[in-house]
Structure formats: C-alpha cells, structure tokens
C-alpha cells in the first residue's frame, strides 16, 4: 500500500519537459539540440558520478515556456533533480514577482498549499537582497521547492528578480547513492 502511494505521488511530481525520474542525460541533450539551445555539462570534482546539465537559449526563453533555463542533476546517469530557472532580462522585477506569485498559486492548486521555508532581506554595499522560499512535500522524499530572489541596486536605482522551481526525488537520489557506492 505504501509503495503504491509512493509511486502515485512520484507520478504527480514528475519533472517538466516530458522527463521522468531516472531518465538519462541523453533526453535533455537531444531536446537541447533539437531547439538549438546552449548546453553546459558540469562534472563536480568533489562529487564523483554527479553530472549537471544546464540548458538555456542564447537570448529569450526556452521553447513553449516562460523559463529562461533548465538544469538536470544526474547520478550514475539517472536524473533525480530538475530545476527550472525563471529569468527574463526583458521583464521588470515587479513582473517577475507577479509571475512568481502566479506559479506559486498554480502549484498550490495542483499539489496542495506551499509552506514557507524562509524569508530574508539584507543590505550590503548599497544592494538590498530579498529572498523567499516555499516548499511542498506531498510524499516523504519528493519535493517541490520554489525560491524567489530580488536584488535592488540603491545607487543606480535598479531592480532585478528571478525565481526557480526545483523538483527533487530524494528517495531516488538515496537509491542512486547506494548503487554508486557499491564496490
């Protein structure tokens, strides 16, 4: 019964862009090539087996999306996390905050109320940084994390804002870590 609920919960939290937990990097690479998008592959030296693939257009947004970039994390060649970055240099900070609130409302309707993680505001060197984050964990180990950051330059009187939505299957990540750790 618990396994059925977990499988159902995981299906509800499938990552976007037609991807699934455990997919290989090849799916993202093929999608990137098909749309002529820039692709960056990172291989962190202190985390053997981890591959991070980031895809973004040279300018504008991702195809059929309001997102500016997407990033997949793979362990042992299998995806366990995906982050969708909402960055739009053409949009004002106010427009980006409205888009953030709209996405938060949409997620709450689809997956249940988002819970506040933290909200901070700091001032350093004439820059005001405001951050807020919310999460939803409908099934233990399956997370949606929504983060918002706004930076205001008091000297130049400008503001920029961006936000990200992280899909993370921590249950699957733990399985992959155990697999990779085997001799």
């Amino acid at each position: 019964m618990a396994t059925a609920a977990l499988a159902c919960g995981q299906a509800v939290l499938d990552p976007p862009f037609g991807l699934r937990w455990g997919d290989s990097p090849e799916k993202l690479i093929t999608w990137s090539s098909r749309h002529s998008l820039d692709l960056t592959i990172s291989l962190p030296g202190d985390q053997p087996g981890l591959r991070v693939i980031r895809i973004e257009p040279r300018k504008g947004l991702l195809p059929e999306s309001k997102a500016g970039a997407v990033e997949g994390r793979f362990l042992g060649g299998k995806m366990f996390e995906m982050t969708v970055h909402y960055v739009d240099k053409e949009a004002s900070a106010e427009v980006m905050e409205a888009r953030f609130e709209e996405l938060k409302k949409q997620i709450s309707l689809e997956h249940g109320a988002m819970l506040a993680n933290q909200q901070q505001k700091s001032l350093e060197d004439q820059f005001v940084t405001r951050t807020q984050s919310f999460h939803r964990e409908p099934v233990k180990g399956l997370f949606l994390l929504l983060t918002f950051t706004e930076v205001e330059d008091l000297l130049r009187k400008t503001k920029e804002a961006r936000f990200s939505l992280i899909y993370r299957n921590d249950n699957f990540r733990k399985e992959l870590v155990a697999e990779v750790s085997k001799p």
Side-chain angles (χ1 to χ4, degrees):
M1 184 81 143
T3 305
L6 182 62
C8 178
Q10 287 179 346
V12 169
L13 287 180
D14 274 344
F17 300 103
L19 297 167
R20 297 203 148 323
W21 302 121
D23 277 350
S24 74
E26 192 58 38
K27 267 190 155 177
L28 266 181
I29 293 168
T30 301
W31 181 75
S32 172
S33 295
R34 188 172 350 122
H35 295 288
S36 302
L37 301 169
D38 291 348
L39 179 121
T40 305
I41 300 174
S42 300
L43 310 169
D46 62 344
Q47 299 177 53
L50 180 66
R51 304 293 179 261
V52 181
I53 296 180
R54 183 179 174 95
I55 298 171
E56 56 194 320
R58 203 149 288 197
K59 58 183 178 179
L61 302 174
L62 292 172
E64 300 173 23
S65 172
K66 292 182 180 178
V70 67
E71 191 173 282
R73 291 182 172 271
F74 301 82
L75 194 56
K78 297 177 182 174
M79 188 177 70
F80 69 91
E81 180 177 300
M82 173 164 271
T83 304
V84 181
H85 298 284
Y86 293 86
V87 181
D88 185 349
K89 294 188 187 295
E90 304 299 317
S92 70
E94 290 75 18
V95 166
M96 291 303 289
E97 186 168 13
R99 289 180 187 173
F100 169 79
E101 291 297 335
E102 181 183 318
L103 182 59
K104 187 171 91 172
K105 190 182 292 184
Q106 178 187 336
I107 291 168
S108 294
L109 286 172
E110 292 174 7
H111 301 288
M114 303 279 297
L115 302 173
N117 278 3
Q118 60 175 274
Q119 295 187 22
Q120 296 179 334
K121 188 173 183 178
S122 64
L123 171 62
E124 188 175 321
D125 295 330
Q126 296 296 309
F127 287 96
V128 177
T129 303
R130 183 171 62 99
T131 59
Q132 26 179 343
S133 64
F134 301 86
H135 78 280
R136 179 78 184 140
E137 186 179 7
V139 176
K140 186 169 174 41
L142 290 170
F143 299 94
L144 283 173
L145 179 65
L146 183 61
T147 63
F148 175 84
T149 303
E150 178 186 79
V151 178
E152 182 178 3
D153 182 341
L154 297 174
L155 203 57
R156 292 168 192 82
K157 300 193 183 332
T158 60
K159 258 193 227 183
E160 288 184 8
R162 61 178 47 210
F163 59 97
S164 297
L165 178 59
I166 302 166
Y167 297 76
R168 184 177 178 117
N169 188 332
D170 214 33
N171 300 326
F172 189 51
R173 184 193 63 79
K174 288 175 184 173
E175 288 176 26
L176 293 172
V177 167
E179 275 181 35
V180 171
S181 300
K182 288 180 184 176

